[in-house]
Amino acid sequence: MKGSEIIFKNKKQFHITLVIFTIYVVLSFPFFHENFPESNVFIFNIAINSWDGLNYLGIIALILLFTSLTLAVKSLNQFKKRTVLIGILLATFIPQYLADAYQKTLATGVYAISYKQEFSECDIRKNGDTTLVAECNLMLTNHSNSDVELLLSFIDKYNDEEHDMIKIVNNGAPYNLKLHKNESKHVEIYSTIDASRLEEAMDTGNMTMLNIKIESDGKERKL
């Protein structure tokens, strides 16, 4: 008996497994580096929900992954557990690694932009009796070799307490930004609003870990 026949019960089926797994990697390829609503459920770094509801593409990717792992087990005579473990590790780390590599080498436009959400902050204070002023600080990086012009706005995290604050910082949105090639930029955004437009009275406020939407050339990402 040949060595391959000892290992494989069905070599053709194993090749199909590799094809399905590759499709999974492509579908889960998160070069968009999207952020997702809080309290989300993640499986193999894939979010079940997106900002618009169920993440159908991610769910399809997960179905393909589990299908490929099932077929792999059925196609082998040996190393079944080892193959599943390797498959899980690859499924967890390869898409993100490829996404990072793509963004730092080949990506253009909005896909070349990274956002350090952990350094984002907005402070809101009252100026006079009726005006609220917002000052936001963000850190963005353009990894491409071309300048990128962006439109930026903030996303409501569906938190009732933050709804009015998002309305304040978005009062002048979308904001026009330009990042030069290979530039890391500390972005400051200022906005004012008449306090009477808010649902509840507010004198001061603060937000961190902000979600944003960036747009360029008809494409958008939510970060």
Side-chain angles (χ1 to χ4, degrees):
M1 183 177 291
K2 297 179 180 180
S4 61
E5 293 177 351
I6 296 174
I7 298 174
F8 296 103
K9 183 184 299 182
N10 188 327
K11 201 169 184 178
K12 183 178 180 180
Q13 190 176 67
F14 187 78
H15 290 157
I16 294 174
T17 295
L18 295 178
V19 171
I20 295 175
F21 186 84
T22 301
I23 296 173
Y24 155 78
V25 171
V26 172
L27 289 181
S28 64
F29 186 64
F31 59 79
F32 301 102
H33 284 81
E34 298 278 358
N35 279 344
F36 296 92
E38 295 178 349
S39 302
N40 210 333
V41 176
F42 290 85
I43 302 175
F44 298 105
N45 292 326
I46 295 178
I48 300 302
N49 290 306
S50 68
W51 291 100
D52 300 316
L54 285 175
N55 181 15
Y56 293 106
L57 193 61
I59 292 172
I60 292 172
L62 288 172
I63 291 172
L64 290 173
L65 173 60
F66 291 125
T67 300
S68 68
L69 294 177
T70 300
L71 289 177
V73 170
K74 291 182 177 180
S75 66
L76 293 171
N77 286 316
Q78 297 181 352
F79 310 121
K80 295 182 179 182
K81 292 182 179 180
R82 189 180 304 177
T83 299
V84 171
L85 178 60
I86 292 173
I88 290 173
L89 291 174
L90 292 176
T92 302
F93 296 109
I94 278 188
Q96 190 64 51
Y97 173 80
L98 292 176
D100 291 339
Y102 175 84
Q103 186 176 67
K104 293 176 181 178
T105 55
L106 301 174
T108 59
V110 290
Y111 303 126
I113 305 300
S114 64
Y115 168 49
K116 293 186 177 180
Q117 187 186 41
E118 64 272 22
F119 297 123
S120 64
E121 183 176 17
C122 282
D123 287 312
I124 298 170
R125 64 183 185 277
K126 202 163 189 180
N127 184 12
D129 295 330
T130 60
T131 303
L132 287 168
V133 178
E135 179 179 349
C136 299
N137 295 283
L138 311 171
M139 179 62 73
L140 299 171
T141 299
N142 175 13
H143 296 280
S144 73
N145 292 319
S146 301
D147 296 347
V148 179
E149 294 185 3
L150 300 172
L151 295 176
L152 183 146
S153 57
F154 295 91
I155 303 174
D156 194 333
K157 297 180 181 178
Y158 307 134
N159 183 324
D160 291 338
E161 294 179 358
E162 289 189 349
H163 181 72
D164 274 347
M165 287 192 280
I166 290 293
K167 185 183 294 185
I168 295 169
V169 298
N170 262 344
N171 191 45
Y175 302 99
N176 291 285
L177 305 175
K178 182 175 182 178
L179 274 74
H180 297 291
K181 61 181 182 180
N182 301 309
E183 178 185 24
S184 291
K185 188 173 185 178
H186 182 75
V187 178
E188 294 184 351
I189 293 176
Y190 296 90
S191 175
T192 61
I193 193 172
D194 187 335
S196 63
R197 293 177 53 187
L198 303 180
E199 296 176 4
E200 297 182 6
M202 181 185 301
D203 291 327
T204 61
N206 176 269
M207 293 185 295
T208 59
M209 295 291 291
L210 298 152
N211 288 103
I212 62 173
K213 180 173 73 173
I214 57 174
E215 303 172 76
S216 180
D217 295 328
K219 299 179 176 63
E220 72 172 42
R221 291 170 58 211
K222 294 175 181 178
L223 306 172

